[in-house]
Amino acid sequence: MAAARRTSSLVSRSLPLLRGGKQINGGRGMYRYSTAAAHENPITPPVSVQYDKLLIDGKFVDAASGKTFPTLDPRTGEVIAHVAEGDAEDINRAVSAARKAFDEGPWPRMTAYERQKILLRFADLIEKHNDEIAALETWDNGKPYEQSAQIEVPMVARIFRYYAGWTDKIHGLTVPADGPHHVQTLHEPIGVAGQIIPWNFPLLMFAWKIGPALACGNTVVLKTAEQTPLSALLVSKLLYEAGLPDGVLNIVSGFGPTAGATLCSHMDVDKIAFTGSTDTGRIVLELSAKSNLKPVTLELGGKSPFIVCEDADVDQAVELAHSALFFNQGQCCCAGSRTYVHEKVYDEFVAKAKARAQKRTVGDPFKAGIEQGPQIDGEQFEKILKYIRFGQEAGATLETGGDRHGTKGYYIQPTVFSNVKDDMPIAKEEIFGPVQTILKFKDLNEVIQRANNSVYGLAAGVFTHNIDTANTLMRALRVGTVWINCFDIFDATIPFGGYKMSGTGREKGEYSLKNYLQVKAVVTPIKNPAWL
């Protein structure tokens, strides 16, 4: 896979450019998955855990309490390492270090060019340690190693190079006034940014948040997800190796009710950025408001429609819809988890979607050719199986899958439901797993209304060769991103965020810089101006 292709997309699948039913029932005896890898002994990861402490003020330290917690291998449920468990006292230490680094340290005072060079050196180090970082990410998260090594880690380097390029292009304006005054605006770093990242894309979410925050001259306290604390510690060490001053970036591993809540409530934190569930996002927003009214960026849940129109090439549509849902074990906030298919091609689509799911390779993510690894942990594993039961109980047709895969670890069979109705839990609620739900529609007005009838508005996919259909849907869908004849294209320049309960604000691209800047107006009288 070419480097340019790797770094422009998480799922590098796009389709040709635009130009101007019978029910299929399936049974549980129809599984034809490639299962060998899940029954073999797990492959020993080609990496060791070097960093398992908190990173505060440029040093790795134990939690103040001395407590640790286990991070687990989702392939087996066994312990990888015991990691320092940060709580309120550790957040206070980290915020104190970040505040001192911002108020007294060199980071916001060095030239933009100097900050740029540090971020570029960091991107070089990411590339140098690509395989090591990817192996640690796969071990702690369960995603296929090929995905980590060929797509996600290269994208981390790309994102930091992108924001390094912005460091010396952040500036204010000179604006006219109605009178003899010189007026200018200054774009200033916001200060200490608190950031909380999720477990499904630990490294990418690290880059999406740290990149713009540092480019703008801020300091950061970042809380990792308790399920996946390891990769952020490793890459943060590389960032300090690149020349980052002490205290600019602080990493605290810990749990939401303790470390996360303290970070959101802290009176000396100037901004919060959070990626995670909508329910937790509500808590983050409330805590931030009740403390010092700090601004909050939220990237939350989704239930994205993927709309297959009647002019579809069904084979291409099936493959794209499959990737849109099953990528990353279905653990994507923007997964195309409501597959709307026009009634004229519905039966053919369902049959082929079932066949494609049955061909999906499931097993040890370190094995070459594996498409799907385990779910992140036992809690998520059980949640997905619960939703599969909900689908059956509600009357949807289970075409294939529907159970655990193998006998060890958190693997789930790729699952496909047909004859799904909009009011079923599997069509309304975020499953966050490898469960495809296929719904039937008759016309554009109907599918627009149904697609928008959701509390979420993160993303949508449209598959059509008709430019008029595409134009109608791209404007009508109430979502933050519409992918047309492609899905999961995540270039560093493309803003990402949602409507409605999918969040507030945007990440990536130029838009994300606004999250980490304050705008100050400066007005000065002018005596005897030659012009105004």
Side-chain angles (χ1 to χ4, degrees):
M1 187 182 294
R5 187 180 179 203
R6 289 200 307 260
T7 57
S8 67
S9 170
L10 288 183
V11 178
S12 297
R13 298 186 184 277
S14 57
L15 295 165
L17 297 176
L18 296 171
R19 57 177 184 262
K22 132 186 171 184
Q23 177 176 325
I24 306 294
N25 291 304
R28 287 179 170 267
M30 299 296 290
Y31 308 140
R32 291 191 294 273
Y33 310 107
S34 174
T35 60
H39 300 291
E40 298 170 355
N41 291 327
I43 294 172
T44 301
V47 66
S48 61
V49 177
Q50 301 178 57
Y51 307 107
D52 55 11
K53 297 184 178 183
L54 313 179
L55 179 57
I56 298 177
D57 203 17
K59 303 176 183 64
F60 285 103
V61 297
D62 291 320
S65 67
K67 292 192 295 185
T68 63
F69 66 94
T71 183
L72 306 180
D73 183 342
R75 302 175 302 164
T76 62
E78 297 171 356
V79 175
I80 298 173
H82 287 86
V83 180
E85 182 181 335
D87 56 22
E89 185 174 349
D90 302 295
I91 291 292
N92 290 336
R93 289 196 291 164
V95 171
S96 178
R99 174 55 62 192
K100 183 178 180 180
F102 184 78
D103 289 347
E104 304 174 21
W107 184 249
R109 292 161 187 81
M110 68 174 59
T111 66
Y113 180 53
E114 290 300 316
R115 287 200 301 272
Q116 181 183 92
K117 288 193 292 184
I118 290 172
L119 295 179
L120 290 173
R121 284 197 294 268
F122 175 55
D124 291 342
L125 288 170
I126 289 289
E127 290 184 337
K128 178 180 178 181
H129 295 272
N130 183 94
D131 294 350
E132 176 187 1
I133 297 167
L136 192 62
E137 184 83 332
T138 289
W139 192 11
D140 207 19
N141 174 275
K143 64 183 64 196
Y145 173 75
E146 292 172 346
Q147 175 184 322
S148 296
Q150 297 176 12
I151 300 174
E152 295 188 18
V153 177
M155 184 175 281
V156 171
R158 171 69 178 97
I159 288 170
F160 275 96
R161 286 203 173 94
Y162 174 78
Y163 284 111
W166 267 110
T167 56
D168 58 1
K169 300 168 187 67
I170 298 169
H171 55 78
L173 301 171
T174 300
V175 295
D178 293 336
H181 293 89
H182 173 77
V183 182
Q184 62 181 321
T185 61
L186 302 178
H187 291 183
E188 301 181 347
I190 201 166
V192 176
Q195 302 179 330
I196 302 174
I197 59 174
W199 48 258
N200 57 334
F201 293 101
L203 281 173
L204 283 176
M205 297 302 99
F206 175 96
W208 286 18
K209 287 179 169 52
I210 297 294
L214 295 187
C216 293
N218 299 284
T219 60
V220 176
V221 177
L222 181 140
K223 191 196 89 66
T224 53
E226 56 267 28
Q227 298 90 342
T228 53
L230 298 178
S231 58
L233 293 170
L234 173 58
V235 297
S236 296
K237 176 63 168 61
L238 296 178
L239 187 44
Y240 275 102
E241 188 177 321
L244 193 72
D246 288 348
V248 173
L249 173 61
N250 305 273
I251 307 293
V252 178
S253 49
F255 294 85
T258 50
T262 303
L263 186 60
C264 295
S265 301
H266 207 290
M267 295 295 292
D268 217 14
V269 171
D270 300 303
K271 189 265 182 312
I272 289 287
F274 170 79
T275 296
S277 72
T278 297
D279 287 343
T280 304
R282 293 177 188 268
I283 298 171
V284 169
L285 195 59
E286 181 181 6
L287 292 173
S288 299
K290 284 184 175 180
S291 51
N292 57 349
L293 278 175
K294 60 180 73 68
V296 177
T297 304
L298 300 171
E299 196 269 281
L300 306 176
K303 193 69 179 175
S304 300
F306 184 95
I307 300 171
V308 179
C309 298
E310 62 182 303
D311 63 338
D313 179 307
V314 174
D315 290 335
Q316 291 181 330
V318 164
E319 186 61 33
L320 190 60
H322 179 87
S323 298
L325 185 282
F326 289 102
F327 177 68
N328 205 52
Q329 293 69 250
Q331 297 170 152
C332 291
C333 54
C334 60
S337 52
R338 289 184 291 155
T339 307
Y340 287 99
V341 180
H342 194 276
E343 60 182 4
K344 289 185 178 180
V345 294
Y346 185 84
D347 290 348
E348 180 185 0
F349 184 96
V350 168
K352 291 182 175 179
K354 172 183 175 180
R356 177 62 180 92
Q358 290 173 337
K359 293 177 182 177
R360 187 168 183 82
T361 54
V362 183
D364 191 322
F366 282 103
K367 185 173 182 178
I370 290 296
E371 295 177 283
Q372 181 175 315
Q375 308 309 128
I376 186 65
D377 61 15
E379 180 180 353
Q380 187 66 18
F381 175 84
E382 293 297 339
K383 174 189 171 184
I384 296 164
L385 293 178
K386 178 188 71 175
Y387 272 105
I388 291 172
R389 292 193 297 271
F390 286 169
Q392 294 173 284
E393 292 166 0
T397 302
L398 178 64
E399 295 289 343
T400 190
D403 209 339
R404 75 175 299 149
H405 177 80
T407 58
K408 191 175 185 179
Y410 306 125
Y411 297 90
I412 289 181
Q413 295 167 344
T415 297
V416 177
F417 280 104
S418 65
N419 298 308
V420 179
K421 306 302 180 185
D422 291 325
D423 60 353
M424 293 180 180
I426 58 172
K428 294 171 60 179
E429 300 170 18
E430 191 173 33
I431 301 173
F432 228 60
V435 181
Q436 185 176 34
T437 62
I438 309 177
L439 304 92
K440 185 186 296 185
F441 74 93
K442 293 182 179 180
D443 59 54
L444 279 187
N445 289 334
E446 173 201 331
V447 78
I448 288 168
Q449 187 276 327
R450 292 169 64 191
N452 284 336
N453 186 24
S454 172
V455 298
Y456 298 113
L458 191 54
V462 172
F463 189 95
T464 181
H465 294 300
N466 187 308
I467 187 67
D468 295 326
T469 299
N471 282 334
T472 296
L473 288 170
M474 76 170 72
R475 286 164 174 77
L477 294 170
R478 299 286 296 162
V479 297
T481 300
V482 179
W483 286 296
I484 299 174
N485 294 345
C486 60
F487 207 88
D488 280 349
I489 305 301
F490 282 113
D491 192 275
T493 63
I494 302 173
F496 184 76
Y499 289 23
K500 299 185 280 188
M501 289 175 65
S502 288
T504 59
R506 293 295 181 268
E507 300 201 277
K508 298 193 293 98
E510 180 180 359
Y511 292 88
S512 66
L513 299 171
K514 298 178 181 179
N515 300 329
Y516 298 99
L517 293 169
Q518 290 278 25
V519 178
K520 177 184 289 182
V522 181
V523 182
T524 307
I526 305 175
K527 292 185 178 181
N528 302 316
W531 54 268
L532 287 174

